[in-house]
Amino acid sequence: MTAPLKHSADITVDVALGDRAYDIVIGRGVLQSLGARIAALRPGVRTAIVTDRTVAKHWLEPTEQSLAEAGIPTSRVVVEEGEISKTYAGLEKVSEALIAARIERNDLVIALGGGVVGDLAGFAAAILRRGVDFVQVPTSLLAQVDSSVGGKTGINSPQGKNLLGAFHQPVLVIADTSVLDTLSPRQFRAGYAEVAKYGVLGDEAFFSWLESNHADIFSGGAAREHAIATSCRAKAAIVSRDERENGERALLNLGHTFGHALEAATGFSDRLFHGEGVSVGMVLAAEFSAKLGMISEADAARVERHLASVGLPTHLQDIAGFAQEGLADADALMALMAQDKKVKRGKLTFILLQAVGRAVVANDVEPALVRDFLQQKLSG
C-alpha cells in the first residue's frame, strides 16, 4: 500500500444503508461545494448551522457563503468549545435555538465542527420535532475519520461518556481536509489516534503504511486524504453491516472502554482529549491482551511505539494530573468502566487483540483480572 504522489481529485465514500445511504465527500476545498450539494439533495430546504466559537472564527462565514450562493437560507447557533457543551444544558441551548429558528422536519441541521459539535447537533436534530435530518461538516481529524460517520449522536452524563443519545444517520458528510490546517498540533495528534485504530483493529497493512507515512499525514501531504479515505471506508463497511452495534461494530470501540473511563476521571476536560484517551486505551488493551496470552508482548510494544512516535500519550502516567484521586485509583476506574455502554447485565466487554490488525470482542472479562492489571499499570 502506497500513498498517491500528489493530491487526488475529491474522494467519495458510500455508506451503504439502503434508502438511508449517504456519501462522505473527502478532499481539499470541498467545503465550497456544500451549498450546491445540499441544493441538489434537498431543493428548497432551510438550514441552521451549529458550531463552536473557535470553529466559527475560521469556517462559519465560508460555510454561510457557500449556502448563500446556492440560495439556501440559514441561521447560526454557536456554542462553547469542548465537552462542556456536550451536556444537558448544551442540548437545551441548541434545541431551543433550532426551534426559535423555525427549523421544520423537511429542513436540515448542519453540524460544523469536531466530534462534540457533531454529537450534540446530531442528537438535537434526532429529537427535534421527533427527527430532523442533518449534515456533518467535520472540522477535526477525529471527526472526519470517526464521529461524523455512522450516526452515533449524544451527550455525556456526569456518570459517563455518551450515555444519552440516539442513532441518527446524517444525509451527507463533507470532509474538507484543508480545514485541518487550522488545528493545533495536539488536536491533530488526538485525531490521529482514531486513524491508527483502524489499522490496529482490522488492517495490519494499513498500520504498517501508517508507520512509514505518518509524517506526510501530519504535514498535510497527499497521504492525509489517503489515510482519511481508508479510515472512512473501513468504518462505512462495518456500519453498513452492523448499524446499531449488535455485533462487529463494537470492534470500533478498541481502546474506548479504558479511554472513556479515563475521560470521565479527568472530568471530560482538556486534561485529556478524547483521542488521547483512546491512545492510552489502545495501549492498555494491547498490553492486557498480551497479559492474557492473546498476542505477543512484541505486538503490544509495536502499538505503543507507533502512538508514542507521533507524540500521543501511551501510559497512564502521561495524563495531566495523573496522581489526582480517581485517575490513580484502580477501584475508581473500575467503577467508571462499569458505566460503559458496552456493559451487558453488569458484565464488562472489552475489545482485545489477537494480532495487530485483528481485534475481537471479549465478553464477560473477569473484573479481578482487569483490576489487577490496572493496579500494576498504576504502580508504574
Side-chain angles (χ1 to χ4, degrees):
M1 180 185 291
T2 58
L5 297 178
K6 59 183 179 180
H7 291 288
S8 62
D10 301 345
I11 303 167
T12 299
V13 176
D14 174 50
V15 183
L17 289 171
D19 59 1
R20 292 176 297 106
Y22 55 93
D23 289 338
I24 309 165
V25 184
I26 304 161
R28 296 188 72 85
V30 294
L31 179 59
Q32 298 171 3
S33 71
L34 175 66
R37 292 179 188 276
I38 287 178
L41 190 67
R42 295 289 175 84
V45 76
R46 295 167 64 243
T47 65
I49 302 168
V50 181
T51 190
D52 69 44
R53 294 190 186 281
T54 300
V55 173
K57 293 175 185 177
H58 298 286
W59 303 111
L60 182 54
E61 287 189 5
T63 303
E64 291 176 329
Q65 181 180 349
S66 176
L67 294 168
E69 289 173 353
I72 299 172
T74 192
S75 56
R76 56 169 70 173
V77 183
V78 181
V79 302
E80 296 300 323
E81 181 182 13
E83 298 279 341
I84 190 173
S85 288
K86 201 171 150 181
T87 59
Y88 289 106
L91 179 64
E92 179 182 16
K93 175 180 179 177
V94 171
S95 299
E96 291 297 330
L98 294 175
I99 293 171
R102 300 187 183 279
I103 295 299
E104 300 174 353
R105 281 188 176 181
N106 57 342
D107 293 327
L108 287 174
V109 174
I110 298 173
L112 174 68
V116 167
V117 167
D119 284 1
L120 175 61
F123 189 29
I127 61 177
L128 178 67
R129 306 188 193 279
R130 296 193 174 93
V132 171
D133 286 338
F134 81 117
V135 172
Q136 287 270 21
V137 184
T139 60
S140 69
L141 178 59
L142 187 148
Q144 290 192 0
V145 301
D146 186 63
S147 61
S148 69
V149 180
K152 282 187 177 180
T153 70
I155 61 172
N156 301 329
S157 158
Q159 300 184 63
K161 180 92 169 178
N162 296 329
L163 291 180
L164 301 114
F167 285 96
H168 189 53
Q169 298 291 344
V171 295
L172 176 68
V173 179
I174 298 292
D176 188 332
T177 57
S178 67
V179 309
L180 305 181
D181 296 338
T182 62
L183 296 178
S184 70
R186 184 185 175 193
Q187 288 172 319
F188 194 92
R189 283 196 301 270
Y192 182 81
E194 294 281 5
V195 176
K197 178 191 75 176
Y198 290 105
V200 177
L201 75 87
D203 190 341
E204 192 278 334
F206 181 49
F207 187 75
S208 179
W209 180 85
L210 290 173
E211 290 174 309
S212 300
N213 292 277
H214 62 84
D216 195 43
I217 297 170
F218 277 76
S219 67
R224 179 176 291 182
E225 283 82 13
H226 181 72
I228 292 170
T230 301
S231 300
C232 286
R233 287 191 190 100
K235 182 161 188 179
I238 291 175
V239 168
S240 67
R241 295 190 295 264
D242 180 22
E243 180 181 2
R244 292 183 172 265
E245 202 171 301
N246 294 314
E248 70 171 313
R249 184 168 179 173
L251 295 174
L252 296 172
N253 291 309
L254 175 65
H256 286 60
T257 300
F258 289 115
H260 283 171
L262 296 173
E263 285 184 84
T266 53
F268 302 114
S269 68
D270 60 7
R271 286 170 57 196
L272 186 71
F273 289 171
H274 173 68
E276 294 171 335
V278 170
S279 176
V280 176
M282 271 196 289
V283 173
L284 289 172
E287 292 177 339
F288 188 53
S289 299
K291 182 178 178 67
L292 297 177
M294 296 174 64
I295 63 169
S296 67
E297 292 191 3
D299 273 352
R302 181 184 176 191
V303 173
E304 188 276 336
R305 184 168 56 249
H306 178 60
L307 295 172
S309 74
V310 302
L312 280 163
T314 55
H315 298 96
L316 293 166
Q317 291 79 2
D318 295 336
I319 301 171
F322 163 76
Q324 293 184 16
E325 176 141 4
L327 188 58
D329 183 327
D331 289 325
L333 290 175
M334 290 295 294
L336 290 169
M337 281 189 278
Q339 286 283 16
D340 191 88
K341 299 185 302 301
K342 295 177 292 303
V343 171
K344 294 182 178 179
R345 301 194 183 280
K347 295 181 178 180
L348 291 172
T349 298
F350 285 87
I351 312 305
L352 300 178
L353 297 174
Q354 293 181 327
V356 174
R358 190 164 72 249
V360 294
V361 179
N363 294 307
D364 198 14
V365 175
E366 178 57 49
L369 291 175
V370 181
R371 190 197 177 285
D372 289 348
F373 168 74
L374 283 173
Q375 193 62 56
Q376 176 189 358
K377 292 300 171 184
L378 288 166
S379 64

